[in-house]
């Protein structure tokens, strides 16, 4: 750095016509050089601020005042710094942030932002993790037309060591060519009803064509949530008219349903405010959970590791989602670890796909304390399913005993790798991988047995398995596991009508009794073949 500043000083002196001074710079003592370097550095800083003022309109540098003085980043060494340089609008509510950085960043960066505080911090505010230490840009999101404060930090061993200066950015509305909305096309949320603590059942009417289905979007902060930009659930079926959303008990959110075009939405419903029933769990200040790492084990499989402080008598839930940055239980995919001393778990998900993970304290039916969010992409290439004309029709799901059910279906086409019977208690369009399943490798299989919790309601589909994913899905059936033994109709004993004994012609008795082969008694009861 001093070498760079020395060259800058010499350049300034030469441009000022001070060739003699520049030529004799080597003759100055160390204190004199340091003084001149200090003057040059101050000039460079002033020039940098002027450059920031003249940068693109999409970025507004912001230095929050603290008791009349400006906050400045606190680097670990004099050689390290991070400085945000510009934003580039990608879509409505989405942008790229760019930065410069000097130093060593083996664990990468955290980009943090907030609407409310001018000094956002990790993990309290919205953040994104960039593990690549050579990265100099990241995608960020927010509500169009609203301003946010951004900082980038050096991430190391689970914490931010130092931050860049704050910059302010207002997300733009990017005009795009939209699919024309025909007269009479509309979506209207008709009602939202509580489905229990932290559950919302959303119902809507729709008129028009919806070939790519719907996005149900919601937000706690804006009354008109959008996609992309806010949390969402995707329903690929054009006939979908209801779904169940999971949220935080006691939280008020705003919902809208929109027509999905393949990349965005071009038709929205009315906005509908709803407060999730239930009482939010009170977090214990003496408890904390922090995800320290997630690493690939094999294609579509990863190991999650965390630290935890406090008492966790009922263990942990590892929860994850591809669509929301704050997955919850119940509501998203999870793995349950009952051992309170556990600090790692293995999870399976779609290869090549990005997910958001959290670990939470399990309370028995819900979670208390949550960890930070950790973004992770599974290794491998995601399987892109392709419909091939095969069809599957889910005919019935029938209770056989408490917590047991038989699924029956019919199928037309070729199914060389068999079927996946998939189900979920929250996703009305369950998929593989991603939700619970039973694998039937026999192409001729037309039924399977499911095991669940008595009283539990699930959504069931059957998929054509193609190795790594499913290409064709059946219709969906909603089913509730029975809590009682199914009632069987009494079977009447058949009445046998007496028949007249036929008259046999007398036969001549043999002169000798025939010798019968002895019948050997079995030493054990024969084992009956289960006939699987």
């Amino acid at each position: 750095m001093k070498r760079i500043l020395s060259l800058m000083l010499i350049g300034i002196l030469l441009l000022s016509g001070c060739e003699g001074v520049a030529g004799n710079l080597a003759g100055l003592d160390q204190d004199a050089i340091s003084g001149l370097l200090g003057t040059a550095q101050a000039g460079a800083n002033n020039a940098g601020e002027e450059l920031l003022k003249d940068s693109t309109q999409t970025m507004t540098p912001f230095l929050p005042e603290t008791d009349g003085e400006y906050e400045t980043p606190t680097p670990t060494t004099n050689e390290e710094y991070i400085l945000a340089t510009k934003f580039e609008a990608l879509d409505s509510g989405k942008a790229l942030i760019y930065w410069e950085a000097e130093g060593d960043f083996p664990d990468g960066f955290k980009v943090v932002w907030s609407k409310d505080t001018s000094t956002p911090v990790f993990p309290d505010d919205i953040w994104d993790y960039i593990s690549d230490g050579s990265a100099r840009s990241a995608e960020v999101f927010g509500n169009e037309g609203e301003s946010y404060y951004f900082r980038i930090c050096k991430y190391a061993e689970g914490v931010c060591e130092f931050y860049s200066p704050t910059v302010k950015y207002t997300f733009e509305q990017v005009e795009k060519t939209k699919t024309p909305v025909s007269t009479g096309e509309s979506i209207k949320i008709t009602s939202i009803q509580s489905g229990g603590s932290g559950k919302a059942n959303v119902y809507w009417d729709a008129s028009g064509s919806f070939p790519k289905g719907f996005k149900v979007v919601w937000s706690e902060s804006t009354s008109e949530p959008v996609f992309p930009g806010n949390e969402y659930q995707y329903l690929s079926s054009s006939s979908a008219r209801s779904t169940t959303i999971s949220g935080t008990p006691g939280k008020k959110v705003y919902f809208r349903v929109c027509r999905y075009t393949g990349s965005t939405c071009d038709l929205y419903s009315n906005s509908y405010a709803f407060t999730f029933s239930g009482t939010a769990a009170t977090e214990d200040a003496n408890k904390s959970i922090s995800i320290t790492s997630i690493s690939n084990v094999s294609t579509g499989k990863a190991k999650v590791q965390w630290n935890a402080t406090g008492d966790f008598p009922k263990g942990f839930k590892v929860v994850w989602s591809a669509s929301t940055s704050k997955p919850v239980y119940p509501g998203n995919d999870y793995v349950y670890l009952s051992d309170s001393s556990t600090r790692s778990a293995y999870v399976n998900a779609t290869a090549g796909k990005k997910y958001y993970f959290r670990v939470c304290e399990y309370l028995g039916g819900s979670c208390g304390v949550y960890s930070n969010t950790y973004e992770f992409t599974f290794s491998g290439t995601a399987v892109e399913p392709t419909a091939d004309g095969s069809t599957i029709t889910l005919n019935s799901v029938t209770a056989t005993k408490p917590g047991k059910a038989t699924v029956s279906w019919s199928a037309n086409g070729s199914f060389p790798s068999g079927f996946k019977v998939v189900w979920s208690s929250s996703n009305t369009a369950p998929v593989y991988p991603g939700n619970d399943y039973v694998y039937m490798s026999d192409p001729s299989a037309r039924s399977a047995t499911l095991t669940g919790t008595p009283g539990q309601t699930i959504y069931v589909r059957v998929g054509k398995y193609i190795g790594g994913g499913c290409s064709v899905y059946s219709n969906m059936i909603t089913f509730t596991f029975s809590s009682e033994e199914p009632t069987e109709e009494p079977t009447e004993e058949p009445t046998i009508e007496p028949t007249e004994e036929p008259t046999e012609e007398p036969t001549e008795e043999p002169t000798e009794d025939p010798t019968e082969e002895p019948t050997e008694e079995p030493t054990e009861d024969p084992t009956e073949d289960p006939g699987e």
Side-chain angles (χ1 to χ4, degrees), residues 178-410:
K178 296 184 177 181
T179 304
V181 178
S182 302
T183 303
E185 291 188 312
S186 65
I187 308 171
K188 181 182 179 181
I189 296 179
T190 55
S191 69
I192 300 181
Q193 301 171 7
S194 174
S197 179
K199 297 276 188 180
N201 296 324
V202 184
Y203 301 89
W204 65 91
D205 289 334
S207 175
S209 175
F210 304 90
K212 294 184 183 292
F214 302 88
K215 295 276 187 178
V216 180
V217 291
W218 65 94
S219 171
E220 293 180 13
S221 58
T222 177
S223 61
E224 294 189 343
V226 295
F227 175 83
N230 295 112
E231 294 187 80
Y232 68 89
Q233 184 185 98
Y234 176 46
L235 299 152
S236 59
S237 173
S238 61
S239 62
R241 293 298 183 270
S242 67
T243 190
T244 299
I245 303 295
S246 298
T248 304
K251 283 284 187 180
K252 178 181 177 181
V253 298
Y254 300 93
F255 284 94
R256 293 206 294 176
V257 179
C258 66
R259 175 169 62 185
Y260 184 53
T261 66
S263 60
T264 185
C265 282
D266 69 343
L267 177 65
Y268 282 87
S269 74
N270 54 311
S271 178
Y272 200 112
F274 176 80
T275 300
F276 287 100
S277 64
T279 304
T282 303
E283 294 194 2
D284 188 339
N286 296 319
K287 292 182 180 180
S288 66
I289 308 171
S290 176
I291 296 179
T292 55
S293 68
I294 301 180
S295 55
N296 281 300
V297 175
S298 58
T299 300
K301 185 175 184 178
K303 183 179 182 180
V304 183
Q305 295 180 285
W306 65 90
N307 291 330
T309 301
D311 187 24
F312 303 89
K314 294 186 178 180
F316 304 90
K317 294 273 187 178
V318 179
V319 291
W320 64 94
S321 170
S323 60
T324 175
S325 60
K326 291 186 177 180
V328 295
Y329 174 84
N332 295 113
D333 293 318
Y334 68 90
V335 169
Y336 174 46
L337 297 314
S338 59
D339 185 353
S340 62
S341 64
T342 299
R343 295 296 183 270
S344 66
Y346 292 93
V347 296
N348 295 281
T350 304
K353 193 169 185 179
K354 182 175 74 174
Y355 291 86
Y356 302 97
F357 283 84
R358 294 204 295 176
V359 178
C360 66
E361 170 199 18
Y362 184 54
L363 300 176
S366 63
C367 277
V369 175
Y370 279 87
S371 74
N372 55 305
T373 301
Y374 199 108
E375 183 180 316
F376 179 77
T377 300
F378 283 84
S379 65
T381 303
V383 175
E384 293 296 335
T386 302
D388 58 2
S390 301
T391 62
I392 307 170
T393 301
L394 181 54
N395 298 320
S396 65
V397 183
T398 308
T400 55
K401 59 176 61 176
K404 294 279 188 181
T406 297
V407 180
S408 301
W409 66 91
S410 55

Side-chain angles (χ1 to χ4, degrees), residues 79-88 96-109 111 130-139 152-154 162:
E79 302 295 327
E80 292 187 314
Y81 74 89
I82 306 171
L83 181 67
T85 56
K86 69 174 182 176
F87 285 85
E88 177 186 340
L96 276 175
I97 182 174
Y98 294 86
W99 65 89
E100 295 177 355
E102 181 75 30
D104 187 24
F105 303 91
D107 293 338
F109 305 89
V111 180
I130 298 86
S131 59
D132 183 0
S134 64
R136 293 298 182 267
S137 67
E139 187 175 295
I152 304 112
C153 77
K154 175 182 179 177
F162 69 90

Side-chain angles (χ1 to χ4, degrees), residues 503-520:
T503 303
E504 296 183 356
E505 293 292 328
T507 56
E508 188 176 339
E509 292 292 327
T511 55
E512 293 184 3
D513 290 335
T515 304
E516 291 184 5
E517 288 294 323
T519 302
E520 186 175 339

Side-chain angles (χ1 to χ4, degrees), residues 10 34 38 44 72 77-78 120 124 162 215 258 269 278 318 337 384 414 419 422 432 447 460 477 524:
I10 292 170
S34 297
T72 56
T77 74
N78 291 332
D124 296 343
F162 69 90
K215 295 276 187 178
C258 66
S269 74
V318 179
L337 297 314
E384 293 296 335
S414 175
F419 303 87
V422 291
Y432 173 82
S447 66
V460 185
I477 288 181
E524 295 181 355

Side-chain angles (χ1 to χ4, degrees), residues 405-471:
T406 297
V407 180
S408 301
W409 66 91
S410 55
N412 294 314
S414 175
F415 302 88
S417 298
F419 303 87
K420 293 279 186 176
V421 181
V422 291
W423 72 94
S424 169
S425 60
S426 59
N427 184 4
T428 57
V431 295
Y432 173 82
N435 295 114
D436 293 320
Y437 69 91
V438 168
Y439 177 42
M440 308 299 291
S441 60
D442 184 356
S444 64
R446 294 298 183 268
S447 66
T449 299
L450 301 186
T451 301
T453 303
Q456 178 189 19
T457 298
I458 59 172
Y459 306 100
V460 185
R461 295 202 298 176
V462 179
K464 174 181 177 177
Y465 183 56
I466 57 173
C470 288
S471 62

